[in-house]
Amino acid sequence: MFREKQGINLLTSHPVTGIDRVAKRVNGTTREGKPFEAAYDKLLIATGAIPILPDIPGIDHPGVMVLKTLADGRRIKQHLNDRAIRRAVIIGMGYIALETCESLRALGLEVDMVKPHPRFLPWLKEELAAVVEEELAAKRVTLHPGCRVTRIENTGGRLQVVCEALALDVDMVLVATGVSPNSEIAAAAGIELGPKKSIAVNNRLLTSDPHVYAAGDCSDAIHVVTGQKAWIPLALRANRAGWAVADNVCGRNVVLPGVVGTAVFKIFDLQVARTGLNREEALAAGFKAAEVVIETRSRAHAHPGASSIHVSMVADTKTGRLLGSQMVGKEGVAHRINAPAVALHAQMTVEQFSQTDLSYAPPFGPTWDPCLTAANQLLKKL
């Protein structure tokens, strides 16, 4: 489609090995291994992110997998089809780790999850993280936080994941310890880097070179709440940035205001969402942060099928400005988080947000939306 319908000269299996910014050329090799050059007027670096592989002996064993690309997914499925896999260990407890955990449990596998950090989901408020832990326990997933893997051994057809005080005999290991910006080619060309070695860009997606743009998970962004650079690799920003680069190359002068880090994921029957800053992040950014945590209902009191929603909300006590929110619940979380996200972009105060006219009907929420209940309780601390 790219070649025939869009008229794009798409060259697959042509890895670029370097950027000559003076000559305005990229250099690389063809699928046959021959060198090639391509001249540019404007260049876009959209190399995405790469999985972080911890330096663990045995990490290169064939039974150890990562999940980042479609090819990785096919490799995992093939491994599951070819072998009698009964038990898996996931190294990591982030978004990808948890979503993969659900998929493996759906296939009937026993699943253990390990990570060196002592807190499960450290970015999530403790009371909300405890709800997620309870859900995992109910689905028979065993968590081992504070467990640093020292090596992975082949024990005659099976694998043994060895921690400092624990050894797990398993059939498969999935490494999901996060990703990092794929920015090496930009760094090698002398292009300025930002947080966590992401490619630094301005609000028009231009790098430190006026002829080179960067977009997607390889580049940074302005955090709307803090006003500082941040690296938050999420799909909407990547997609929006790609469109913006194309517009700017074509002379439309599109400016992107930034991000607030809105994210949501599903883990079994729970929805987990966040936007903006948690209390620790707010304090680190220089705000005088106050926080409230509430538990309320997902539907009107008398409506059948209601479940609990837990909401955390953070504000600046000096200005009253809303700084962030988190939610966990079985329903009504994924889209409800968009209300505080919009408020963050508008730089609303908690009082202003508490007066917004949010929708109500018994099947979808109580008269006082959980966001408004949290805002009203937070006002008492400002």
Side-chain angles (χ1 to χ4, degrees):
M1 185 188 72
F2 271 84
R3 294 184 180 114
E4 296 173 9
K5 185 177 179 181
Q6 305 294 348
I8 294 171
N9 185 22
L10 176 66
L11 302 174
T12 56
S13 299
H14 280 61
V16 172
T17 55
I19 301 168
D20 186 337
R21 292 167 52 202
V22 176
K24 295 173 72 174
R25 289 181 176 276
V26 294
N27 307 302
T29 56
T30 67
R31 67 176 71 238
E32 294 80 21
K34 297 179 179 180
F36 79 89
E37 289 185 343
Y40 65 85
D41 296 311
K42 300 293 181 183
L43 176 67
L44 167 62
I45 303 173
T47 45
I50 52 176
I52 296 171
L53 285 177
D55 186 15
I56 300 171
I59 197 77
D60 55 349
H61 190 279
V64 180
M65 311 280 180
V66 297
L67 180 55
K68 177 66 173 68
T69 67
L70 287 173
D72 294 333
R74 295 188 187 102
R75 193 176 301 112
I76 292 170
K77 290 179 74 172
Q78 192 66 48
H79 189 75
L80 291 167
N81 289 333
D82 292 346
R83 294 167 177 79
I85 306 295
R86 301 185 306 275
R87 188 182 186 190
V89 160
I90 300 174
I91 302 176
M93 296 183 190
Y95 297 166
I96 298 299
L98 289 167
E99 290 173 339
T100 307
C101 164
E102 179 177 350
S103 297
L104 295 178
R105 285 295 296 130
L107 294 173
L109 275 65
E110 297 178 46
V111 178
D112 290 76
M113 304 182 76
V114 300
K115 64 179 290 188
H117 196 286
R119 277 183 60 189
F120 171 70
L121 295 179
W123 53 267
L124 189 62
K125 182 64 179 175
E126 291 92 337
E127 292 93 325
L128 277 63
V131 177
V132 184
E133 287 191 72
E134 289 172 9
E135 177 71 5
L136 288 165
K139 297 301 190 291
R140 292 164 47 190
V141 175
T142 306
L143 300 180
H144 304 280
C147 179
R148 183 180 300 279
V149 177
T150 58
R151 65 187 184 277
I152 301 171
E153 297 181 348
N154 185 349
T155 58
R158 300 193 81 195
L159 297 173
Q160 186 174 73
V161 178
V162 181
C163 300
E164 292 159 342
L166 179 71
L168 301 169
D169 293 311
V170 299
D171 305 297
M172 172 183 167
V173 177
L174 181 85
V175 181
T177 50
V179 295
S180 61
N182 190 6
S183 59
E184 286 187 7
I185 197 165
I191 291 172
E192 184 180 329
L193 300 184
K196 299 184 180 179
K197 297 186 178 180
S198 57
I199 303 172
V201 296
N202 65 13
N203 57 11
R204 297 181 65 249
L205 290 311
L206 267 174
T207 69
S208 56
D209 185 314
H211 304 290
V212 180
Y213 293 85
D217 290 354
C218 63
S219 62
D220 66 9
I222 292 291
H223 198 295
V224 171
V225 179
T226 66
Q228 302 298 314
K229 286 293 193 78
W231 182 64
I232 305 176
L234 293 171
L236 177 59
R237 165 70 184 194
N239 203 297
R240 179 176 283 147
W243 281 93
V245 169
D247 284 337
N248 285 326
V249 168
C250 294
R252 290 192 60 187
N253 192 31
V254 172
V255 171
L256 296 186
V259 298
V260 294
T262 308
V264 63
F265 68 92
K266 174 182 175 294
I267 178 65
F268 296 107
D269 295 329
L270 285 182
Q271 301 168 19
V272 184
R274 69 168 297 179
T275 189
L277 308 179
N278 61 29
R279 185 173 182 273
E280 290 78 13
E281 292 166 340
L283 292 171
F287 294 103
K288 294 186 176 180
E291 180 180 37
V292 69
V293 179
I294 66 155
E295 179 182 356
T296 184
R297 308 279 287 176
S298 65
R299 305 183 189 184
H301 180 71
H303 200 278
S307 59
S308 293
I309 283 188
H310 301 257
V311 182
S312 165
M313 195 167 280
V314 180
D316 181 25
T317 59
K318 186 176 180 180
T319 63
R321 181 182 171 189
L322 180 67
L323 300 178
S325 184
Q326 300 178 344
M327 301 180 199
V328 172
K330 291 187 175 182
E331 64 174 9
V333 166
H335 297 294
R336 185 169 268 121
I337 196 68
N338 290 330
V342 170
L344 292 176
H345 277 282
Q347 299 189 12
M348 295 175 72
T349 65
V350 177
E351 185 174 11
Q352 289 170 331
F353 181 62
S354 73
Q355 295 300 315
T356 53
D357 187 17
L358 303 185
S359 64
Y360 160 69
F364 306 113
T367 305
W368 286 92
D369 185 272
C371 290
L372 299 180
T373 300
N376 287 334
Q377 293 300 314
L378 187 53
L379 276 174
K380 298 175 183 179
K381 297 190 173 185
L382 301 182

